[in-house]
């Protein structure tokens, strides 16, 4: 689960040069989703979900128990309820600025079985659905099998009561959050004058958390 951070949060690049590392640290369970310092994104996020539901949400057959458990956990953390008329993970995603991603063990590999992805960095929900951790991290230098393998081991040995947090960052041409395709941003950057970079380049920071669902093991 991830969301862009406000400037009041620590910036991960202050810790030294960029490196492709897991970088996970435990946090208190009550700090998992709340307070939501990106709550201003909720209204445009919900509008995007209304107009592009088929683009931002995907799931595979058999994911419903995990979706439902995740949605109940999110709703409890937020002190709210989710719409039972929508897919559970989709409905729960309306409550938080974070994107929600469900990973389950399928044929010996942690696999993406459902996700609502409204703040992607150059990939879409339908490109991610059904992929294992190795497939998801293949575009990252050193991501497959290295980074994918390390994250897989974290998933496999994660305790129910533990919540882990990490940060990553990129530089993008635009502050737009919904960027499933890099082509328009790269084209704009290529065509722009050099002095436009000062206003157009944005540091995009994502906070990601991992926790196990006690009932389904997802």
């Amino acid at each position: 689960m991830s969301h862009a951070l406000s400037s009041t949060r620590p910036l991960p690049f202050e810790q030294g040069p960029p490196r492709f590392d897991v970088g996970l640290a435990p946090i208190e369970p009550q700090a998992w989703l709340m307070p939501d310092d990106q709550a201003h994104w909720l209204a445009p996020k919900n509008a995007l979900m209304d107009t592009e539901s088929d683009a931002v949400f995907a799931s595979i057959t058999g994911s419903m128990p995990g979706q439902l458990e995740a949605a109940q956990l999110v709703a409890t953390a937020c002190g709210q309820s989710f719409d039972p008329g929508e897919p559970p993970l989709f409905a729960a995603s309306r409550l938080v600025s974070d994107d929600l991603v469900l990973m389950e063990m399928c044929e010996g590999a942690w696999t993406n079985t459902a996700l609502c992805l409204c703040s992607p960095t150059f990939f879409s929900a339908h490109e991610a659905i059904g992929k294992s951790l190795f497939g998801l991290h293949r575009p990252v230098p050193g991501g497959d099998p290295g980074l994918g393998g390390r994250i897989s081991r974290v998933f496999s040995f994660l305790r129910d009561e533990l919540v882990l947090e990490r940060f990553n960052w990129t530089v993008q041409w635009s502050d737009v959050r919904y960027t499933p395709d890099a082509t328009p941003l790269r084209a704009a950057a290529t065509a722009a004058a050099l002095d436009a970079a000062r206003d157009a380049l944005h540091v995009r920071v994502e906070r990601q958390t991992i926790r196990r669902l006690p009932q389904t093991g997802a």
Side-chain angles (χ1 to χ4, degrees):
M1 305 174 186
S2 67
H3 59 69
L5 297 175
S6 70
S7 58
T8 59
R9 292 272 191 161
L11 298 174
F13 48 80
E14 293 179 332
Q15 306 305 313
R19 62 187 186 276
F20 294 104
D21 199 2
V22 178
L24 287 160
I27 61 172
E28 293 296 325
Q30 60 268 27
W32 174 38
L33 297 172
M34 294 290 137
D36 190 343
D37 70 346
Q38 298 294 298
H40 60 275
W41 168 238
L42 280 174
K45 179 186 178 183
N46 272 272
L48 176 65
M49 293 171 66
D50 289 338
T51 58
E52 302 288 344
S53 59
D54 290 341
V56 302
F57 178 75
S59 64
I60 66 174
T61 302
S63 66
M64 192 59 69
Q67 282 195 57
L68 185 58
E69 186 181 6
Q72 290 170 338
L73 202 61
V74 170
T76 298
C78 298
Q80 301 184 61
S81 58
F82 60 90
D83 184 352
E86 296 182 322
L89 201 72
F90 183 84
S93 191
R94 292 189 180 279
L95 307 180
V96 289
S97 65
D98 303 65
D99 287 340
L100 302 181
V101 180
L102 184 68
M103 304 293 294
E104 300 185 76
M105 182 61 75
C106 300
E107 299 182 355
W110 288 101
T111 301
N112 178 209
T113 60
L115 76 167
C116 186
L117 195 61
C118 295
S119 300
T121 305
F122 309 154
F123 70 105
S124 69
H126 290 277
E127 290 171 328
I129 193 67
K131 287 187 177 179
S132 70
L133 277 173
F134 299 99
L136 291 171
H137 288 92
R138 189 163 290 131
V140 178
D144 180 19
L147 185 60
R150 294 199 296 275
I151 297 176
S152 181
R153 289 191 290 274
V154 170
F155 278 27
S156 295
F157 293 102
L158 189 62
R159 302 192 307 272
D160 291 350
E161 69 277 9
L162 192 62
V163 180
L164 299 178
E165 176 186 71
R166 71 182 294 271
F167 300 90
N168 65 24
W169 65 277
T170 56
V171 177
Q172 283 191 193
W173 189 273
S174 168
D175 61 353
V176 174
R177 295 196 182 211
Y178 183 60
T179 55
D181 182 5
T183 303
L185 297 186
R186 288 173 177 163
T190 300
L194 182 61
D195 58 4
R198 182 187 301 272
D199 296 322
L201 288 173
H202 292 264
V203 175
R204 178 186 177 112
V205 180
E206 294 182 354
R207 169 185 182 255
Q208 301 173 342
T209 61
I210 301 172
R211 71 179 305 172
R212 179 183 293 275
L213 305 183
Q215 296 174 15
T216 60

